[in-house]
């Protein structure tokens, strides 16, 4: 029961397929070695069950290869020590993630009830997320849905790509503002694949500005211009629809000012 494939318990004889996610949960008796660190993080909302934060660019969500500390989890453990007992000891309270260089809104669970309830909402695609992305333009169609399967790039294991053997992936976008060389988009992922928005926008010839991995390298933009701008979910206790928004960060604002 401590090893799950795509969120499900399976028999030891289960045969794995490419791109399936294997999660190994250490014994609850094992103590977490993650150190609380007093790192400033903007808390948008907090109650007994959830913390909603505005994650800065450059901050990993949890400890992993190359990131032994300085993560969102390290920061939140300092703010809320009880978080260490929620869910996975490596990713306590973590329900979903943002890429290292993606900024914006995230919800973290402070109770087992919240972890299970909101994780279920994500699986059922009931959580609504929107992102702000600046892409190399022009985008041919002002509003569209991209449906293309995403899997590991067979030629570069650090990348994802649109491949026929990939998992179903759906992204909706709408052009908000057009500039001379770039377009500002509101993007809504309807599935949750790794690098989904970056891969899908690159696949239609409009990579995200500053995204060196997917063809968006741009002078003056040091990271992908991608920001999680809004999030809504049902509160795990009250069942109330909770909606949160956060503005794009200063580095993105400064780049946009140069375009006006």
């Amino acid at each position: 029961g401590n090893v799950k494939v795509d969120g499900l318990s399976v028999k030891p004889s289960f045969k794995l397929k490419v791109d399936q996610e294997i999660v190994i949960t250490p014994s609850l008796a094992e103590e977490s070695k993650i150190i609380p660190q007093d790192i400033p993080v903007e808390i948008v909302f907090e109650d007994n069950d959830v913390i909603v934060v505005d994650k800065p660019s450059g901050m990993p969500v949890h400890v992993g290869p190359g990131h032994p500390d300085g993560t969102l989890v390290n920061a939140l453990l300092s703010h809320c020590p009880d978080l260490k007992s929620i869910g996975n000891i490596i990713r306590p309270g973590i329900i979903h993630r943002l890429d290292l260089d993606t900024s914006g809104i995230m919800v973290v669970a402070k109770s087992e009830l919240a972890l299970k309830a909101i994780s279920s909402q994500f699986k059922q695609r009931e959580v609504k997320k929107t992102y702000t992305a600046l892409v190399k333009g022009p985008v041919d169609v002002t509003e569209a849905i991209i449906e293309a399967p995403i899997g590991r790039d067979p030629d570069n294991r650090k990348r994802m790509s649109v491949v026929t053997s990939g998992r179903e992936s759906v992204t909706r976008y709408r052009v908000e503002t057009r500039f001379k060389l770039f377009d500002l988009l509101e993007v809504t992922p309807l599935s949750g694949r790794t690098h989904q928005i970056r891969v899908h926008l690159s696949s239609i010839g409009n990579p995200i500005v500053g995204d060196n991995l997917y063809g968006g390298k741009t002078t003056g933009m040091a990271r992908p211009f991608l920001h999680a701008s809004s999030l809504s979910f049902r509160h795990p206790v009250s069942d109330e629809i909770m909606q949160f928004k956060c503005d794009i960060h200063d580095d993105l604002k400064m780049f946009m000012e140069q375009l006006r």
Side-chain angles (χ1 to χ4, degrees):
N2 282 4
V3 178
K4 294 187 177 181
V5 178
D6 288 340
L8 302 174
S9 295
V10 297
K11 295 180 179 180
S13 60
F14 182 84
K15 293 185 178 180
L16 293 166
K17 298 178 182 178
V18 171
D19 288 331
Q20 287 189 306
E21 180 182 68
I22 305 144
V23 175
I24 303 171
T25 304
S27 167
L28 294 178
E30 184 176 342
E31 284 293 321
S32 171
K33 296 181 176 60
I34 302 175
I35 303 169
Q37 292 177 298
D38 186 13
I39 305 170
V41 175
E42 182 178 348
I43 295 175
V44 178
F45 172 84
E46 181 177 8
D47 65 9
N48 291 331
D49 295 283
V50 298
I51 306 177
V52 178
V53 301
D54 182 358
K55 186 188 89 69
S57 169
M59 173 181 277
V61 170
H62 57 74
V63 170
H67 305 292
D69 56 21
T71 72
L72 178 64
V73 165
N74 292 105
L76 290 180
L77 283 174
S78 175
H79 173 76
C80 179
D82 291 343
L83 195 70
K84 67 181 179 181
S85 64
I86 308 303
N88 187 296
I89 66 168
I90 302 299
R91 303 191 298 271
I94 298 302
I95 303 168
H96 65 123
R97 291 175 288 181
L98 295 177
D99 290 345
L100 171 68
D101 290 324
T102 301
S103 55
I105 207 91
M106 276 187 65
V107 59
V108 177
K110 287 179 64 179
S111 68
E112 288 288 347
L113 171 66
L115 184 66
K116 292 177 181 177
I118 302 175
S119 293
S120 176
Q121 291 178 47
F122 269 98
K123 289 178 182 177
Q124 299 299 321
R125 300 185 181 180
E126 296 172 351
V127 176
K128 307 299 181 187
K129 298 181 291 179
T130 61
Y131 291 74
T132 300
L134 187 72
V135 301
K136 292 187 175 182
V139 177
D140 291 338
V141 181
T142 57
E143 187 169 356
I145 292 178
I146 305 170
E147 296 186 66
I150 291 176
R152 189 69 59 180
D153 189 326
D155 298 320
N156 183 346
R157 301 299 292 175
K158 293 182 179 181
R159 288 168 45 107
M160 307 299 286
S161 65
V162 172
V163 291
T164 55
S165 60
R167 301 172 70 185
E168 175 199 11
S169 307
V170 184
T171 303
R172 178 189 295 129
Y173 74 83
R174 178 174 60 86
V175 176
E176 286 194 329
T177 308
R178 290 193 185 273
F179 299 97
K180 184 176 180 180
L181 299 175
F182 309 107
D183 286 341
L184 188 69
L185 309 183
E186 178 187 86
V187 185
T188 304
L190 303 181
S191 52
R193 309 304 175 210
T194 301
H195 296 179
Q196 177 176 315
I197 294 174
R198 299 163 64 186
V199 171
H200 271 173
L201 292 175
S202 179
S203 75
I204 63 170
N206 302 104
I208 293 174
V209 168
D211 190 350
N212 297 349
L213 189 59
Y214 293 104
K217 186 174 182 179
T218 308
T219 301
M221 193 69 246
R223 56 114 164 177
F225 195 120
L226 184 63
H227 178 77
S229 49
S230 73
L231 177 71
S232 69
F233 58 90
R234 285 183 290 105
H235 192 277
V237 175
S238 69
D239 210 38
E240 175 188 359
I241 298 294
M242 311 288 287
Q243 294 183 308
F244 302 96
K245 295 183 178 181
C246 61
D247 290 337
I248 61 173
H249 290 185
D250 289 344
D251 61 330
L252 307 183
K253 288 179 181 177
M254 289 176 61
F255 186 84
M256 278 190 58
E257 285 300 319
Q258 300 171 21
L259 307 181
R260 299 185 186 279

